[in-house]
Each structure stands twice: as C-alpha cells, then as structure tokens.
Amino acid sequence: MFLASLSALLGGLSAVEAALPYKGVDWSSVIVEERAGVSYKNVNGAAQPLERILADNGVNTVRQRIWVTPSGGVYNLDYNLQLARRAKAAGLGVYLNFHYSDTWADPAHQTVPSGWPSGIDNLAWKLYNYTLDVSNAFSDAGVQPTIISIGNEITQGLLWPTGKTNNFYNIARLLHSASAGIKDSRLNPKPKIMIHLDNGWNWETQKWWYSNVLQQGPLVASDYDMMGVSFYPFYSASATLSNLRTSLTNMVNTWGKEVAVVETNWPISCPQPKYAFPSDARSIPFTADGQRTWLTNVANVVAGVRNGVGLFYWEPAWIHNANLGSSCANNCMFSNSGQALSSLSVFRNI
C-alpha cells in the first residue's frame, strides 16, 4: 500500500514537472550577439553555445522569427536555417515565427514585403508560395519545425493594407493560404500551425478577432491547431494572471484549440516603468528570483487550462537590447557579460 501510494505521489510530481509540452525561449538574435563578440556562459561561468545552455536548463523548443528580405540578411531564410540546424543538433524543437514582412511585424506594423502584390488574389497566391518555399527549405535542410506561426501578433491584421481588420475576409483568405502552404509542403511530420495575437489577457480582444475572422468562410478550423498569445506585465495594469486565465479558458471552451503564451518577459531592472504593473504582480521583485516567480506563475496558469500547452520567454539572451522594447531597463535572463542568471533553470520545473 505504501509503495503504491509512493508511486502515485512520484507519478504526480512527474506530471507536474512535465505539465507543459513546449517550454521555450525566442533566441532569434543569438547570431547577431555572437557576431558582436558575445560569448555565452552557463550559470557557473563556463563558456558554452547558447543552445547547450538552454537545453541544460530545461528548454525544449526555441522560437525564431523569419523576415522575407531584411536589410543585411539578419533573420532571413538562410539565417534561420543556420539557427535551426544548431537547435536540432542540440535536441531542441524549432518553432518558426513568420512575420511576413521585411522587418518587424506587430500590432503597429505589418508592412507588406518589398515587391509583393497588393490585390488580394495575387497577394494570397504569393503568400502561399512563399510559405510553401520556406517550409520546403526547412524540410530539405533536415529540420522539421514542431510549430509554425502564420504571422506575428496579427491582432490588427497582416500584410497591410490588404489584410487590415477593416477587411476580415482578406485576413481569412491570407491565413488560409499561409496554412495551405505549410500543409502542401514536404514537411513530415507536419508542424502545429499557430495564429498569434497580442494582449492574451484580454478575452474581449480575442473574442472580437476570432469571431470576425472565422465567420468570413475562407479560414476554417482545420487550418490551424494552436492559438498563441503575448502576455507582458509592463504594458497594462489589466494584464493580470486572473484575466489571462479567464481569456485562455474562454478561448479553449469556444474554439477547442491548444493555447500557449508565446511571448512574455519579467525585468531584472525597471526603475521607471511607463505603465503600472498588474496588481497580482506588484510584489514580485525585479530580480532573477522575480523572473522565476513570474514564469512559474504564468506557467501554472497555462498548465491549469485545458489544452494549455506552452510558455515562451522572448529574447532572454539579447543582452545588447536588454530592455527588449519595453520601458524596463533589462528583461534578459543573462548578465551583460553573457552569463546565465539563476532564473534560467525555471524551465526545468514548469
């Protein structure tokens, strides 16, 4: 009886530790940093490739953004294939994040790539073929991504102006075409296809967007498998864990898809935040221990939702851009010298 009870207890602990199938970080800028002379080190100060440090600390998937024809080639297809080969060699899964732009794509920027058409028919065809070609390039390189996101934070649409939210039919057409490019590719096994919006704590935003795009017709349930959200603590006091739980729960109950928080951060320095932090996060210190607490809390929310499958930290190793676009001075999980902070090992336990 005791052995049976002990076995059940240990089994329960194992289940908790493996609650999230996807535990990851966005490491898109590692080559940029290495070219700038950064040598990454583990928590003990030993120099190691970043992918080895990540894997040793419990990360099992790396996210990487791909731009179409960026200036200087950073984040283009060749850059991403180089990254992906390194990830695979380290035993890490690859989550490819299409921006469908030559530069940053986010709720304020969704600029159509240079030379792409603007009419919906030709644009949808171009998007299909670009997505197909990139997917086939990954297959030919021997890397099968586990997740592919068709767009980045497309709450206001994608491929503007054709795919803005004043025309949800066009958005539906474009997403269906992107999905078809992946499904028709040589990738085998096929990756999970994700749609990614920001403000994951805001159920009203998620409901408005998905309700509108799905009623158009072209985008159907079989076109995608996952709903990804960004969830940052430093852009709105409304970004509470409770609101995130409500939003993710409602998303799963309404559409039945897998859900994941695919971008989050916590600062180790934030002397002058532009916005108030959420009430349930204000007691968390701006330290490595605070990063561990925040990520554990977010992971517990995701794991507590039916179909909650993943958590990704955005660019923890981009030490030359340490504010990561926020009003907080430093959101990295590595020191200025490239040494892993103690918080990185949180991925072993979520």
Side-chain angles (χ1 to χ4, degrees):
M1 183 67 178
F2 173 76
L3 288 176
S5 298
L6 180 61
S7 176
L9 175 62
L10 292 175
L13 288 174
S14 177
V16 170
E17 291 173 355
L20 294 178
Y22 304 106
K23 303 182 293 183
V25 305
D26 191 311
W27 77 325
S28 298
S29 297
V30 57
I31 295 176
V32 173
E33 291 288 42
E34 289 169 346
R35 289 172 179 170
V38 173
S39 174
Y40 289 103
K41 297 168 274 295
N42 65 19
V43 71
N44 297 316
Q48 291 181 320
L50 181 59
E51 57 267 35
R52 175 47 49 205
I53 298 171
L54 295 174
D56 287 348
N57 281 278
V59 169
N60 64 18
T61 307
V62 284
R63 181 177 188 253
Q64 46 192 74
R65 62 181 164 272
I66 181 167
W67 295 354
V68 180
T69 51
S71 174
V74 175
Y75 313 129
N76 70 4
L77 175 58
D78 288 342
Y79 180 104
N80 271 273
L81 290 174
Q82 182 180 347
L83 265 189
R85 290 188 185 100
R86 288 174 54 174
K88 181 182 178 180
L92 297 168
V94 172
Y95 158 13
L96 185 64
N97 177 29
F98 279 110
H99 277 227
Y100 294 133
S101 187
D102 296 331
T103 185
W104 295 102
D106 55 46
H109 314 86
Q110 297 282 342
T111 304
V112 68
S114 176
W116 282 31
S118 57
I120 184 58
D121 291 338
N122 289 332
L123 184 59
W125 180 238
K126 179 67 175 180
L127 180 60
Y128 167 82
N129 282 288
Y130 169 73
T131 306
L132 176 69
D133 290 346
V134 170
S135 299
N136 283 337
F138 269 79
S139 179
D140 294 347
V143 179
Q144 314 293 326
T146 53
I147 302 170
I148 296 183
S149 175
I150 48 176
N152 184 73
E153 293 188 331
I154 58 171
T155 317
Q156 300 303 321
L158 72 165
L159 296 167
W160 292 349
T162 308
K164 289 193 112 174
T165 51
N166 61 357
N167 194 327
F168 269 103
Y169 177 82
N170 284 353
I171 295 174
R173 279 279 308 274
L174 293 169
L175 292 176
H176 175 76
S177 294
S179 173
I182 298 167
K183 290 176 180 290
D184 291 349
S185 75
R186 293 189 291 273
L187 288 172
N188 185 28
K190 290 293 188 283
K192 297 287 184 69
I193 298 174
M194 176 190 290
I195 294 175
H196 169 210
L197 308 184
D198 72 332
N199 289 342
W201 55 269
N202 191 332
W203 162 238
E204 291 303 319
T205 294
Q206 309 298 317
K207 181 173 65 172
W208 162 77
W209 195 91
Y210 281 104
S211 297
N212 273 289
V213 78
L214 289 170
Q215 71 182 8
Q216 303 302 318
L219 183 68
V220 296
S222 60
D223 285 336
Y224 66 107
D225 309 289
M226 299 177 69
M227 293 175 164
V229 300
S230 299
F231 178 64
Y232 291 105
F234 36 59
Y235 293 124
S236 174
S238 297
T240 63
L241 293 165
S242 175
N243 282 343
L244 176 66
R245 181 181 295 108
T246 297
S247 182
L248 294 179
T249 299
N250 288 344
M251 290 166 70
V252 171
N253 289 342
T254 304
W255 297 292
K257 299 295 184 178
E258 294 181 339
V259 293
V261 170
V262 299
E263 292 187 23
T264 194
N265 287 142
W266 186 265
I268 55 173
S269 175
C270 195
Q272 294 181 307
K274 185 175 181 180
Y275 306 100
F277 274 62
S279 58
D280 58 3
R282 290 174 193 165
S283 65
I284 302 176
F286 297 148
T287 62
D289 283 345
Q291 289 179 326
R292 177 181 296 276
T293 298
W294 172 255
L295 287 173
T296 300
N297 291 348
V298 176
N300 286 340
V301 169
V302 177
V305 174
R306 179 174 61 90
N307 291 357
V309 296
L311 172 62
F312 290 82
Y313 197 95
W314 196 70
E315 287 274 22
W318 200 2
I319 57 178
H320 283 100
N321 186 35
N323 64 14
L324 300 182
S326 77
S327 62
C328 293
N330 192 336
N331 295 293
C332 291
M333 301 180 82
F334 287 78
S335 71
N336 292 338
S337 66
Q339 183 167 340
L341 304 182
S342 60
S343 51
L344 191 63
S345 64
V346 70
F347 291 99
R348 298 174 188 161
N349 305 115
I350 61 174

